[in-house]
Amino acid sequence: AGVLALCVALAVLLTGGDSGKLMEQGLAAYHSQYHGAADNEQAREYFEKAAKKGDATSQRELGLYYVAKDKKKAYKWLLKAAEQNDAPAQYHLATLIENNPYQFGSETSTAIIGALTGRNISYNTNDSPEYIKWYEKSMENGDVDAPYDLAYIYSDGVIVEKDEKKYASYLIRGDQVGNIDATIDLAIAYMNGEGVEKDETQGYLYMKKAAEAGVELFVMDDGWFGDRTADTKSLGDWTPNKKKLPD
């Protein structure tokens, strides 16, 4: 570590503190000992120097460093990187806001706490939470996880109005960029007709695609078997229903 620090100091002197070099040295320190920057004080120092010079990657890494230590600082640096269209920063900023609605959220986002605790929190349902905006920006900039998160925001109807078509459209987008979780749930959406026209052939095709990517098992609930058409009917009957599973 001492040799690395000496090399970094020399690089900084030679480059006049160039932000790109500082970022590279921060990444070098980050990878030299740890898997996570949150444990690496040396990396933080280099990232902070580069972040202050405007390097978006360093701003993002510095934000991630602070997520578990100081959420206000995490927000500050992730926001700076997000405003420079850094897709991972936009995604992590969205998750930070979503997971800490009292600290960063609007009245809209605090509604989730009301829903989970039974408290009556009024809010303007036409005012989408800030984190949805950042998920959408992240998705548009190529992040592979954002479409899946957006899909489930519209599937549960807690914060925004439930919208199965948007749910399915985000799953399709996630599948297109290689999110295997989106592919799995898109297969189920086609099997059940959730947000898309029910199409078992399409469902099987997405199952096959998921299997080719390494998914080993799809579990089907008992609604596909016996005469399970209601909660009180055919419980435990695992005889395939030929109308629902013709093949």
Side-chain angles (χ1 to χ4, degrees), residues 4-62:
L4 176 61
L6 181 61
C7 292
V8 172
L10 180 60
V12 172
L13 287 173
L14 292 175
T15 62
D18 176 78
S19 62
K21 289 289 185 181
L22 286 167
M23 182 270 290
E24 291 173 6
Q25 296 298 339
L27 289 173
Y30 167 65
H31 289 299
S32 65
Q33 263 182 306
Y34 303 102
H35 293 295
D39 296 318
N40 196 325
E41 184 64 21
Q42 187 180 57
R44 181 201 63 78
E45 292 178 4
Y46 302 137
F47 284 137
E48 186 163 356
K49 289 177 182 178
K52 288 179 178 178
K53 291 177 178 291
D55 182 78
T57 300
S58 297
Q59 291 169 343
R60 180 223 308 154
E61 292 298 324
L62 189 58

Side-chain angles (χ1 to χ4, degrees), residues 32-161:
S32 65
Q33 263 182 306
Y34 303 102
H35 293 295
D39 296 318
N40 196 325
E41 184 64 21
Q42 187 180 57
R44 181 201 63 78
E45 292 178 4
Y46 302 137
F47 284 137
E48 186 163 356
K49 289 177 182 178
K52 288 179 178 178
K53 291 177 178 291
D55 182 78
T57 300
S58 297
Q59 291 169 343
R60 180 223 308 154
E61 292 298 324
L62 189 58
L64 293 175
Y65 169 88
Y66 280 119
V67 166
K69 299 175 180 292
D70 187 328
K71 287 183 172 52
K72 288 185 177 180
K73 286 185 177 180
Y75 179 90
K76 168 188 171 182
W77 289 111
L78 287 173
L79 179 62
K80 285 181 179 293
E83 289 175 339
Q84 295 197 66
N85 277 332
D86 183 275
Q90 291 168 336
Y91 177 81
H92 288 295
L93 179 62
T95 60
L96 179 68
I97 298 170
E98 182 181 15
N99 293 331
N100 299 274
Y102 273 146
Q103 192 165 3
F104 303 112
S106 63
E107 290 183 357
T108 304
S109 59
T110 59
I112 190 169
I113 296 176
L116 294 175
T117 62
R119 294 175 57 190
N120 182 19
I121 301 178
S122 61
Y123 63 101
N124 178 5
T125 55
N126 293 319
D127 177 25
S128 296
E130 181 186 4
Y131 63 81
I132 292 181
K133 174 189 77 172
W134 289 116
Y135 277 134
E136 289 175 342
K137 286 180 177 292
S138 177
M139 178 182 69
E140 294 304 323
N141 285 316
D143 187 88
V144 300
D145 294 315
Y148 190 70
D149 287 75
L150 284 164
Y152 276 88
I153 287 172
Y154 285 97
S155 74
D156 58 25
V158 173
I159 289 298
V160 295
E161 186 176 353

